[in-house]
Amino acid sequence: MTDILVTGGAGFIGSNFVRYWSQTHGGRIAVLDALTYAGNPASIADVAGAELIEGDIRDTDLVRRLLRDRGIRTIVHFAAESHVDRSITGPDAFVQTNVVGTHSLLAAARAEWIEAGEGGRHRFHHVSTDEVYGSLGPEDPAFAETTPYAPNSPYSASKAGSDHLVRAYHHTYGLDAVTTNCSNNYGPYQFPEKLIPLFLINALEGRPLPIYGDGMNVRDWLYVTDHCRGIDLALRHGRPGEVYNIGGGEELPNLTVVAAICAAVDRAFAQDPSLAERYPDAPATKGEPTETLKTFVEDRKGHDRRYAIDERKARSELGYAPTVDFAGGLDRTIAWYLANERWWRPLLKA
């Protein structure tokens, strides 16, 4: 028997969840991942109880076999294309993975848990994003679970479509499904195309830090371990068919985040002289502030201005609250990347 199937479990949030689940629950974890550019087997290679199965979530027969042969009654679905810039230049992959792939998983779960099975206890947990709600003005209230969907990029539109499919399978077929919509995650094992690891690595290598537009786009920042705990709470205590917003309670403009990264890199070099030998092209090696690398570039198409999360429902129903503030989480994240160059260095060619 396998306790749980985690899709996309070799990616950033998925691998952190696999680690979290192994440490807090133990048991056997089946990880289904297509190992595209953002999936890295090294992220879960040392996790006790985790078995990596390379495969596509669109392969309904494969998913059915995994559920049936291993007696799996819980799916946690992370697998997704998630980078907005890539969705703008190549939206097809986002529709295929996020919409078609999610439907394939739902169809497999329905077939094995409801039609071929005896009903019984099961759960399909769908991990989504706050980007499905669109963009907020400076004074608008934060996104709540009842906020109308208004996606503005191919990425967020594809995630909105997957959310609707999950809802439909619950209401139409009785699938026990729960969705969580999270804010901007950061932490260890994040592919270096996202803001924090990208800017950190660029700073180490003396490359520009490209800031879109005026840099005042605001995001709610969520340390990945807090997110994993929120998912766990929703798995165990969430009501079937419900949606829960999971946030970090740290609403910050990009300029503030970039300034914090620059300051943290400068502190790290001041505290550890060996970094100057490892990264000779970093401004800090030459006694210059990292912020000299900041470069403003043309704004991204469809760039949402502000995201904010109203997490009162998750707090009241699940007992969720973030435990890591942004300053502490950023220090942990930078320390991890500095200590794990062997993990991220090969990814720079992806």
Side-chain angles (χ1 to χ4, degrees):
M1 295 285 288
T2 300
D3 296 312
I4 190 169
L5 172 64
V6 179
T7 72
F12 164 45
I13 307 176
S15 64
N16 276 278
F17 180 79
V18 169
R19 290 178 170 278
Y20 172 91
W21 188 268
S22 176
Q23 292 165 5
T24 57
H25 296 279
R28 298 177 62 183
I29 308 164
V31 176
L32 178 62
D33 200 298
L35 297 181
T36 58
Y37 76 94
N40 189 347
S43 299
I44 56 171
D46 61 340
V47 179
E51 178 190 0
L52 176 61
I53 300 115
E54 185 174 357
D56 195 318
I57 58 173
R58 293 174 297 175
D59 187 341
T60 309
D61 290 339
L62 169 62
V63 177
R64 288 193 65 175
R65 287 197 302 274
L66 289 174
L67 299 180
R68 180 174 61 251
D69 295 348
R70 296 162 187 251
I72 297 171
R73 307 291 290 180
T74 302
I75 295 174
V76 184
H77 176 34
F78 293 95
E81 295 285 348
S82 65
H83 194 242
V84 175
D85 286 353
R86 290 178 184 259
S87 81
I88 293 170
T89 57
D92 289 4
F94 287 73
V95 174
Q96 284 297 315
T97 299
N98 299 352
V99 180
V100 178
T102 298
H103 181 257
S104 174
L105 285 173
L106 290 165
R110 175 194 173 201
E112 292 301 321
W113 293 344
I114 297 174
E115 294 181 342
E118 301 175 356
R121 186 173 179 83
H122 62 267
R123 173 140 289 188
F124 187 106
H125 186 100
H126 177 56
V127 180
S128 192
T129 172
D130 58 0
E131 297 192 41
V132 299
Y133 299 121
S135 183
L136 294 171
E139 305 302 324
D140 289 339
F143 297 134
E145 291 81 0
T146 55
T147 300
Y149 276 28
N152 291 319
S153 71
Y155 161 60
S156 56
S158 66
K159 288 299 289 184
S162 68
D163 292 5
H164 292 320
L165 283 169
V166 173
R167 174 184 170 85
Y169 264 71
H170 168 71
H171 286 279
T172 303
Y173 304 114
L175 190 72
D176 182 343
V178 170
T179 295
T180 48
N181 293 83
C182 69
S183 56
N184 270 35
N185 279 227
Y186 68 102
Y189 299 102
Q190 187 169 31
F191 190 81
E193 67 184 358
K194 299 298 177 77
L195 192 151
I196 290 177
L198 173 66
F199 277 39
L200 169 60
I201 294 169
N202 280 11
L204 296 176
E205 303 198 335
R207 296 198 298 264
L209 308 181
I211 301 168
Y212 284 125
D214 63 2
M216 292 305 293
N217 300 77
V218 174
R219 300 293 182 263
D220 177 279
W221 291 88
L222 171 64
Y223 191 65
V224 67
T225 305
D226 276 338
H227 185 198
C228 293
R229 189 167 46 81
I231 292 169
D232 185 16
L233 289 168
L235 266 176
R236 292 185 289 120
H237 305 301
R239 290 181 289 134
E242 289 298 312
V243 176
Y244 298 93
N245 285 348
I246 307 295
E250 297 272 2
E251 199 178 329
L252 300 169
N254 287 344
L255 278 182
T256 299
V257 174
V258 174
I261 296 169
C262 292
V265 171
D266 292 344
R267 286 197 304 273
F269 274 74
Q271 295 166 1
D272 183 356
S274 71
L275 292 177
E277 298 178 8
R278 291 170 57 189
Y279 306 107
D281 296 322
T285 297
K286 306 165 189 175
E288 301 173 358
T290 300
E291 68 176 8
T292 58
L293 295 174
K294 292 194 299 186
T295 304
F296 289 88
V297 299
E298 182 180 355
D299 206 357
R300 181 169 67 196
K301 295 178 180 178
H303 197 183
D304 291 334
R305 190 62 172 175
R306 173 178 167 246
Y307 302 149
I309 286 283
D310 180 344
E311 62 196 31
R312 285 177 294 179
K313 181 177 177 180
R315 286 176 181 268
S316 63
E317 293 193 16
L318 308 178
Y320 168 79
T323 61
V324 181
D325 64 16
F326 182 75
L330 182 64
D331 284 346
R332 294 187 198 182
T333 301
I334 289 178
W336 186 89
Y337 277 90
L338 290 174
N340 288 276
E341 183 175 349
R342 286 185 296 178
W343 181 88
W344 57 258
R345 178 66 65 181
L347 303 179
L348 300 185
K349 299 178 182 179

